[in-house]
Amino acid sequence: MFNKDIGIDLGTANVLIYIKGQGIVLNEPSVVAIDADTKRPLAVGSEAHEMLGRTPEDILAVRPLKKGVIENVAQAQALLIKAMQIGIEEGESVGRIVIGIPGDSSEVEKNAAEEIGRKAGAENILVISEGLAAAIGAGLPIAEPNGTMVIDIGAGSTDIVIISLGGINDIETVRCGGDDIDNRIVELVAEKYNVAIGIHDAESAKIEVGMIHCSEQLENLSVEVIGKSLETNRPKKVVIDSMLVADAVEPFMQEIVDGLNVILERLSPELMMGVYNNAVAVGGSSRLRGLKERVFDEISIPIEVSDDPMTVVAKGTAIVAAEPLALEPEVRLRAMK
């Protein structure tokens, strides 16, 4: 048997498995379809994701994680086991697993993640902050004393992390993310056009034309989707433009700005220059146009968006899995503050 050390981003929207030297070997939606009566898992990942909003009464399509937190251990376990069966080839076994979770997770939530990894077949499990994993995956100078900032905008939560000397100096977690934006788009379309659209259409529109209100004049793009008229119950076309998405993003962007202000208030003067020069945004919603400009408008710190914002957490966990000395014991303690 050939042991593989793997990194896992067990996210609210997707579970990613990364193996150093191979890259992403699996990227599946974090969805499980279960029997409504027995609660037995019937399908996971993409197959289950296609069932969201479309299942008969005896089948439920659910997300085991909400706001970055494991809500159902059994369902999350089924998801991870299936993901590993897909991502790990026959004849290979799992040596070390490193799992990234939100930085403000409780001890109960950390223990739940460890238990899931154990039941999935790993003997050696380490749970670390997604923000720290993202910084490692993005190649930021985390070992330096000057300070680095990561804004990790996930589907369920947003971690704002300050890293110095290889560990977490401070962290502020905002329990909002891409899923909240998708739901708000659905609400605004219903309010403005009296049309109900599916959550998948809202997410696609966010990705295709999404932007954030900022001081820059950005192009107002648009996309057409077909929903259900709330007046006639018949199909109706509706146009979603960038301004509508920006309106949907605004309340959540304000929460992120509030989080940034809170963490900057606590930031020591010694770390300010490092943070000013080394700040990066990761996560799916970091790709929204205008994010860099809006953050600079609000806190006067320039940020860069990662070239591959969706996979840096998984990549960082894989680096730690392959090179455990990347986190010495005392650093591990700081990483889970």
Side-chain angles (χ1 to χ4, degrees), residues 28 55 70 111 133 137-138 147 169 190 194 230 261 269 276 283 285:
E28 289 278 321
T55 58
I70 299 168
N111 291 338
N169 178 277
N194 210 19
L230 296 175
N261 283 322
Y276 185 88
S285 292

Side-chain angles (χ1 to χ4, degrees), residues 111-139:
N111 291 338
E114 289 179 357
E115 183 65 15
I116 289 168
R118 206 170 285 113
K119 290 186 175 180
E123 296 181 1
N124 195 336
I125 302 135
L126 175 64
V127 177
I128 68 173
S129 160
E130 289 177 337
L132 182 57
I136 294 170

Side-chain angles (χ1 to χ4, degrees), residues 173-316:
T173 296
V174 182
R175 290 291 177 181
C176 68
D179 284 353
D180 300 287
I181 297 170
D182 300 341
N183 289 324
R184 185 56 183 152
I185 291 171
V186 171
E187 293 172 359
L188 286 183
V189 170
E191 292 171 10
K192 186 174 181 178
Y193 300 110
N194 210 19
V195 171
I197 63 170
I199 196 72
H200 296 315
D201 291 324
E203 181 183 20
S204 296
K206 177 187 71 177
I207 293 170
E208 191 168 341
V209 305
M211 74 175 187
I212 296 172
H213 290 306
C214 65
S215 59
E216 297 290 324
Q217 189 70 36
L218 302 178
E219 185 179 1
N220 187 24
L221 307 175
S222 63
V223 61
E224 188 176 79
V225 301
I226 297 177
K228 174 184 174 182
S229 170
L230 296 175
E231 295 176 345
T232 66
N233 293 320
R234 295 178 180 177
K236 186 174 180 180
K237 292 181 180 179
V238 62
V239 173
I240 299 176
D241 65 8
S242 301
M243 291 301 294
L244 185 144
V245 176
D247 290 342
V249 174
E250 185 57 27
F252 310 109
M253 188 63 216
Q254 192 55 58
E255 287 192 51
I256 292 172
V257 169
D258 291 343
L260 287 166
N261 283 322
V262 166
I263 208 164
L264 288 179
E265 184 177 352
R266 298 194 297 250
L267 187 70
S268 68
E270 290 79 7
L271 294 177
M272 184 62 79
M273 181 176 290
V275 166
Y276 185 88
N277 291 318
N278 294 294
V280 66
V282 302
S285 292
S286 69
R287 297 175 297 180
L288 287 167
R289 292 178 297 132
L291 176 66
K292 294 194 298 183
E293 293 82 359
R294 177 63 179 273
V295 170
F296 191 80
D297 291 343
E298 298 282 357
I299 64 170
S300 302
I301 289 179
I303 66 167
E304 293 297 327
V305 176
S306 169
D307 293 336
D308 201 1
M310 299 289 288
T311 66
V312 288
V313 171
K315 183 179 180 181

